[in-house]
Amino acid sequence: MNPPPPKLTNKIPYMLAKHSVSNKRRGEMNYLNLFANTTGEMEFHHYQTLLTNGIKRKTLFKGASLVGLANIVPQKNERFILSENGEPFFITPVGTRGSRGIAWTEIHDLVAWKPEEDNFYTLSGDGKILNEEATHYADAREEPLFIHDTVLSWFQGGCNGLVVLDWSNIQPWEVVGANRRVVADTDKSKKKLRKALTPKYPEIRIRSFSNG
């Protein structure tokens, strides 16, 4: 069931967000404020939609906010732009949470997703992995590292593990680190992970010496 379109208020400055993204190289993008604006659009029935899709209440309401809502327009390059004329999508930050996950210390991208769709979209493309610190936590605790196919699956798993947002530009160590046990969501993610972990050796030639 699709969440109904949000009541657009002044909480999301769509034009300002569009301007900030286009000028991100000049350091004008503030993802922390932008995500905070999206959380203000969440209403009771939006949380009900998430709960009915198998996400536990304690996952949504413990620690730093993990989901907001905004109107977006998906792009062909798996990016999205914010637009008041777009469709409502849930928004989840890509970044680093502080001690015990109480608050966000850094957000460097946003991912837009819907429970009923496998596809997801990033705002800038800078975020390659959702919850990248999971790699280090699993290694330190000697626990399996879970690789999820979708953002919904990650939420259903209690936000344990990670989601690779861009398989085309990822290094093996960024995904698995030093972990020896990795659990994939499906055969699809298993194949993607195996391909990413396959060494890509350069062409090696023998230098030839001439007597001339």
Side-chain angles (χ1 to χ4, degrees):
M1 180 173 126
N2 294 336
K7 297 176 182 178
L8 292 177
T9 65
N10 292 325
K11 296 173 184 174
I12 302 179
Y14 285 96
M15 294 304 296
L16 177 60
K18 181 178 180 181
H19 173 75
S20 296
V21 173
S22 65
N23 291 281
K24 186 170 70 68
R25 290 184 179 180
R26 286 186 274 170
E28 297 180 20
M29 192 60 183
N30 190 325
Y31 289 103
L32 286 168
N33 286 346
L34 190 55
F35 176 63
N37 290 330
T38 70
T39 60
E41 296 290 346
M42 291 289 289
E43 298 181 359
F44 177 77
H45 57 92
H46 298 128
Y47 289 110
Q48 282 296 112
T49 297
L50 297 174
L51 293 172
T52 56
N53 275 276
I55 302 175
K56 294 182 179 179
R57 188 177 300 273
K58 65 179 181 180
T59 300
L60 293 174
F61 301 112
K62 182 180 180 180
S65 297
L66 295 173
V67 62
L69 193 77
N71 283 356
I72 74 158
V73 177
Q75 305 295 291
K76 292 182 179 179
N77 59 355
E78 297 183 342
R79 305 279 180 82
F80 73 85
I81 58 174
L82 290 159
S83 172
E84 55 190 343
N85 298 317
E87 297 179 57
F89 274 69
F90 289 113
I91 305 295
T92 294
V94 182
T96 305
R97 284 171 284 179
S99 177
R100 300 181 181 180
I102 294 176
W104 290 99
T105 58
E106 178 196 11
I107 296 177
H108 50 264
D109 207 346
L110 299 174
V111 55
W113 59 282
K114 284 186 174 183
E116 66 273 17
E117 296 182 8
D118 290 341
N119 296 334
F120 44 75
Y121 309 89
T122 57
L123 183 57
S124 69
D126 291 338
K128 295 187 290 184
I129 297 176
L130 175 61
N131 198 36
E132 58 187 346
E133 60 263 34
T135 299
H136 308 293
Y137 288 156
D139 180 32
R141 298 168 182 170
E142 298 183 348
E143 297 175 348
L145 174 64
F146 291 91
I147 311 293
H148 297 276
D149 280 346
T150 66
V151 181
L152 175 63
S153 173
W154 180 68
F155 271 105
Q156 291 171 333
C159 301
N160 181 22
L162 57 84
V163 182
V164 178
L165 302 174
D166 183 5
W167 285 97
S168 66
N169 186 28
I170 201 74
Q171 298 296 324
W173 58 267
E174 294 180 285
V175 183
V176 300
N179 289 282
R180 303 299 297 269
R181 293 183 296 164
V182 178
V183 179
D185 242 2
T186 64
D187 190 57
K188 177 181 177 182
S189 54
K190 178 182 176 180
K191 289 179 179 178
K192 286 183 177 180
L193 186 58
R194 180 166 290 174
K195 182 179 179 181
L197 294 176
T198 301
K200 299 176 179 62
Y201 298 108
E203 180 182 3
I204 302 175
R205 298 183 179 182
I206 303 298
R207 184 172 61 173
S208 61
F209 295 88
S210 61
N211 295 325

mmCIF file of all heavy atoms in Angstrom, residues 3-4 8 27 60 77-78 82 102 119 151 153 155 164 169 172 174 186 205 208 211:
data_model
loop_
_atom_site.group_PDB
_atom_site.id
_atom_site.type_symbol
_atom_site.label_atom_id
_atom_site.label_comp_id
_atom_site.label_asym_id
_atom_site.label_seq_id
_atom_site.Cartn_x
_atom_site.Cartn_y
_atom_site.Cartn_z
ATOM 1 N N PRO A 3 2.111 5.001 0.559
ATOM 2 C CA PRO A 3 1.755 6.078 1.478
ATOM 3 C C PRO A 3 1.140 7.219 0.701
ATOM 4 O O PRO A 3 1.592 7.537 -0.399
ATOM 5 C CB PRO A 3 3.103 6.483 2.094
ATOM 6 C CG PRO A 3 4.120 6.020 1.121
ATOM 7 C CD PRO A 3 3.558 4.802 0.462
ATOM 8 N N PRO A 4 0.098 7.850 1.209
ATOM 9 C CA PRO A 4 -0.519 8.953 0.490
ATOM 10 C C PRO A 4 0.429 10.130 0.376
ATOM 11 O O PRO A 4 1.372 10.250 1.157
ATOM 12 C CB PRO A 4 -1.734 9.307 1.370
ATOM 13 C CG PRO A 4 -1.382 8.792 2.716
ATOM 14 C CD PRO A 4 -0.529 7.593 2.501
ATOM 15 N N LEU A 8 2.257 19.058 1.759
ATOM 16 C CA LEU A 8 3.442 19.879 1.628
ATOM 17 C C LEU A 8 3.322 21.137 2.474
ATOM 18 O O LEU A 8 2.363 21.887 2.379
ATOM 19 C CB LEU A 8 3.659 20.259 0.155
ATOM 20 C CG LEU A 8 4.039 19.084 -0.736
ATOM 21 C CD1 LEU A 8 4.168 19.549 -2.165
ATOM 22 C CD2 LEU A 8 5.328 18.448 -0.275
ATOM 23 N N GLY A 27 30.312 23.471 -1.163
ATOM 24 C CA GLY A 27 30.081 23.189 0.243
ATOM 25 C C GLY A 27 28.774 23.737 0.770
ATOM 26 O O GLY A 27 28.650 23.969 1.965
ATOM 27 N N LEU A 60 12.286 1.812 14.547
ATOM 28 C CA LEU A 60 11.922 3.144 14.068
ATOM 29 C C LEU A 60 12.114 4.222 15.123
ATOM 30 O O LEU A 60 12.415 5.370 14.795
ATOM 31 C CB LEU A 60 10.470 3.151 13.595
ATOM 32 C CG LEU A 60 10.145 2.335 12.346
ATOM 33 C CD1 LEU A 60 8.645 2.336 12.091
ATOM 34 C CD2 LEU A 60 10.895 2.876 11.136
ATOM 35 N N ASN A 77 19.733 7.625 -13.801
ATOM 36 C CA ASN A 77 21.035 7.217 -13.268
ATOM 37 C C ASN A 77 20.952 6.777 -11.805
ATOM 38 O O ASN A 77 21.949 6.801 -11.077
ATOM 39 C CB ASN A 77 22.042 8.357 -13.399
ATOM 40 C CG ASN A 77 21.587 9.620 -12.665
ATOM 41 O OD1 ASN A 77 20.481 9.677 -12.128
ATOM 42 N ND2 ASN A 77 22.436 10.630 -12.642
ATOM 43 N N GLU A 78 19.737 6.369 -11.372
ATOM 44 C CA GLU A 78 19.493 5.914 -9.998
ATOM 45 C C GLU A 78 19.719 7.019 -8.973
ATOM 46 O O GLU A 78 20.005 6.756 -7.815
ATOM 47 C CB GLU A 78 20.355 4.679 -9.674
ATOM 48 C CG GLU A 78 20.012 3.479 -10.560
ATOM 49 C CD GLU A 78 20.809 2.245 -10.207
ATOM 50 O OE1 GLU A 78 21.856 2.391 -9.521
ATOM 51 O OE2 GLU A 78 20.412 1.149 -10.597
ATOM 52 N N LEU A 82 14.654 16.418 -5.597
ATOM 53 C CA LEU A 82 13.525 16.819 -4.779
ATOM 54 C C LEU A 82 12.624 17.744 -5.597
ATOM 55 O O LEU A 82 13.105 18.663 -6.251
ATOM 56 C CB LEU A 82 14.008 17.536 -3.522
ATOM 57 C CG LEU A 82 14.724 16.664 -2.498
ATOM 58 C CD1 LEU A 82 15.582 17.520 -1.586
ATOM 59 C CD2 LEU A 82 13.727 15.857 -1.694
ATOM 60 N N ILE A 102 22.634 7.531 18.953
ATOM 61 C CA ILE A 102 21.647 8.472 19.457
ATOM 62 C C ILE A 102 21.370 9.600 18.465
ATOM 63 O O ILE A 102 20.240 10.051 18.312
ATOM 64 C CB ILE A 102 22.107 9.058 20.810
ATOM 65 C CG1 ILE A 102 22.145 7.941 21.863
ATOM 66 C CG2 ILE A 102 21.193 10.186 21.269
ATOM 67 C CD1 ILE A 102 22.678 8.382 23.204
ATOM 68 N N ASN A 119 13.791 -1.012 -6.156
ATOM 69 C CA ASN A 119 14.687 0.069 -6.554
ATOM 70 C C ASN A 119 14.788 1.141 -5.477
ATOM 71 O O ASN A 119 13.841 1.362 -4.717
ATOM 72 C CB ASN A 119 14.190 0.718 -7.852
ATOM 73 C CG ASN A 119 14.228 -0.245 -9.023
ATOM 74 O OD1 ASN A 119 15.011 -1.181 -9.044
ATOM 75 N ND2 ASN A 119 13.371 -0.013 -9.996
ATOM 76 N N VAL A 151 16.447 -1.431 1.000
ATOM 77 C CA VAL A 151 16.387 -0.659 2.234
ATOM 78 C C VAL A 151 15.341 -1.251 3.169
ATOM 79 O O VAL A 151 15.535 -1.318 4.384
ATOM 80 C CB VAL A 151 16.087 0.819 1.939
ATOM 81 C CG1 VAL A 151 16.044 1.634 3.234
ATOM 82 C CG2 VAL A 151 17.134 1.402 0.991
ATOM 83 N N SER A 153 14.473 -4.417 3.463
ATOM 84 C CA SER A 153 15.054 -5.610 4.084
ATOM 85 C C SER A 153 15.990 -5.226 5.223
ATOM 86 O O SER A 153 16.027 -5.885 6.272
ATOM 87 C CB SER A 153 15.807 -6.432 3.037
ATOM 88 O OG SER A 153 16.509 -7.505 3.633
ATOM 89 N N PHE A 155 15.759 -2.536 7.109
ATOM 90 C CA PHE A 155 14.906 -2.140 8.231
ATOM 91 C C PHE A 155 14.275 -3.362 8.891
ATOM 92 O O PHE A 155 14.198 -3.447 10.123
ATOM 93 C CB PHE A 155 13.812 -1.187 7.753
ATOM 94 C CG PHE A 155 14.203 0.262 7.798
ATOM 95 C CD1 PHE A 155 14.509 0.940 6.634
ATOM 96 C CD2 PHE A 155 14.270 0.944 9.000
ATOM 97 C CE1 PHE A 155 14.870 2.274 6.663
ATOM 98 C CE2 PHE A 155 14.628 2.278 9.052
ATOM 99 C CZ PHE A 155 14.930 2.956 7.873
ATOM 100 N N VAL A 164 24.391 -2.191 -0.190
ATOM 101 C CA VAL A 164 25.267 -1.578 -1.188
ATOM 102 C C VAL A 164 24.392 -0.754 -2.129
ATOM 103 O O VAL A 164 23.519 -1.291 -2.799
ATOM 104 C CB VAL A 164 26.063 -2.642 -1.974
ATOM 105 C CG1 VAL A 164 26.923 -1.966 -3.042
ATOM 106 C CG2 VAL A 164 26.937 -3.463 -1.033
ATOM 107 N N ASN A 169 30.705 0.991 -8.450
ATOM 108 C CA ASN A 169 31.881 1.748 -8.021
ATOM 109 C C ASN A 169 32.236 1.396 -6.579
ATOM 110 O O ASN A 169 32.290 2.252 -5.707
ATOM 111 C CB ASN A 169 31.601 3.248 -8.151
ATOM 112 C CG ASN A 169 32.819 4.090 -7.870
ATOM 113 O OD1 ASN A 169 33.955 3.660 -8.081
ATOM 114 N ND2 ASN A 169 32.602 5.303 -7.371
ATOM 115 N N PRO A 172 36.075 -4.244 -2.898
ATOM 116 C CA PRO A 172 35.728 -5.373 -2.019
ATOM 117 C C PRO A 172 35.917 -5.073 -0.538
ATOM 118 O O PRO A 172 35.076 -5.416 0.294
ATOM 119 C CB PRO A 172 36.677 -6.478 -2.489
ATOM 120 C CG PRO A 172 36.973 -6.145 -3.908
ATOM 121 C CD PRO A 172 36.990 -4.651 -3.976
ATOM 122 N N GLU A 174 35.639 -2.334 0.974
ATOM 123 C CA GLU A 174 34.629 -1.409 1.478
ATOM 124 C C GLU A 174 33.386 -2.158 1.943
ATOM 125 O O GLU A 174 32.659 -1.693 2.819
ATOM 126 C CB GLU A 174 34.242 -0.404 0.397
ATOM 127 C CG GLU A 174 35.349 0.553 0.001
ATOM 128 C CD GLU A 174 34.907 1.516 -1.074
ATOM 129 O OE1 GLU A 174 34.797 1.090 -2.241
ATOM 130 O OE2 GLU A 174 34.655 2.686 -0.755
ATOM 131 N N THR A 186 19.721 -12.578 -0.836
ATOM 132 C CA THR A 186 19.212 -13.458 -1.889
ATOM 133 C C THR A 186 20.366 -13.889 -2.784
ATOM 134 O O THR A 186 21.499 -13.421 -2.647
ATOM 135 C CB THR A 186 18.155 -12.728 -2.746
ATOM 136 O OG1 THR A 186 18.778 -11.621 -3.421
ATOM 137 C CG2 THR A 186 16.996 -12.224 -1.898
ATOM 138 N N ARG A 205 53.035 -7.928 -18.843
ATOM 139 C CA ARG A 205 53.884 -8.309 -19.975
ATOM 140 C C ARG A 205 55.340 -8.429 -19.530
ATOM 141 O O ARG A 205 55.729 -7.871 -18.495
ATOM 142 C CB ARG A 205 53.758 -7.285 -21.103
ATOM 143 C CG ARG A 205 52.357 -7.168 -21.687
ATOM 144 C CD ARG A 205 52.335 -6.201 -22.838
ATOM 145 N NE ARG A 205 51.001 -6.082 -23.427
ATOM 146 C CZ ARG A 205 50.738 -5.325 -24.483
ATOM 147 N NH1 ARG A 205 51.713 -4.615 -25.058
ATOM 148 N NH2 ARG A 205 49.505 -5.270 -24.961
ATOM 149 N N SER A 208 60.824 -6.675 -23.162
ATOM 150 C CA SER A 208 61.744 -7.241 -24.166
ATOM 151 C C SER A 208 62.959 -6.333 -24.317
ATOM 152 O O SER A 208 62.837 -5.103 -24.232
ATOM 153 C CB SER A 208 61.037 -7.411 -25.502
ATOM 154 O OG SER A 208 60.597 -6.156 -25.985
ATOM 155 N N ASN A 211 68.954 -5.903 -28.981
ATOM 156 C CA ASN A 211 70.422 -5.772 -29.046
ATOM 157 C C ASN A 211 70.842 -4.556 -29.814
ATOM 158 O O ASN A 211 72.024 -4.305 -29.993
ATOM 159 C CB ASN A 211 71.024 -7.032 -29.694
ATOM 160 C CG ASN A 211 70.787 -8.271 -28.839
ATOM 161 O OD1 ASN A 211 70.810 -8.154 -27.605
ATOM 162 N ND2 ASN A 211 70.576 -9.421 -29.482
#
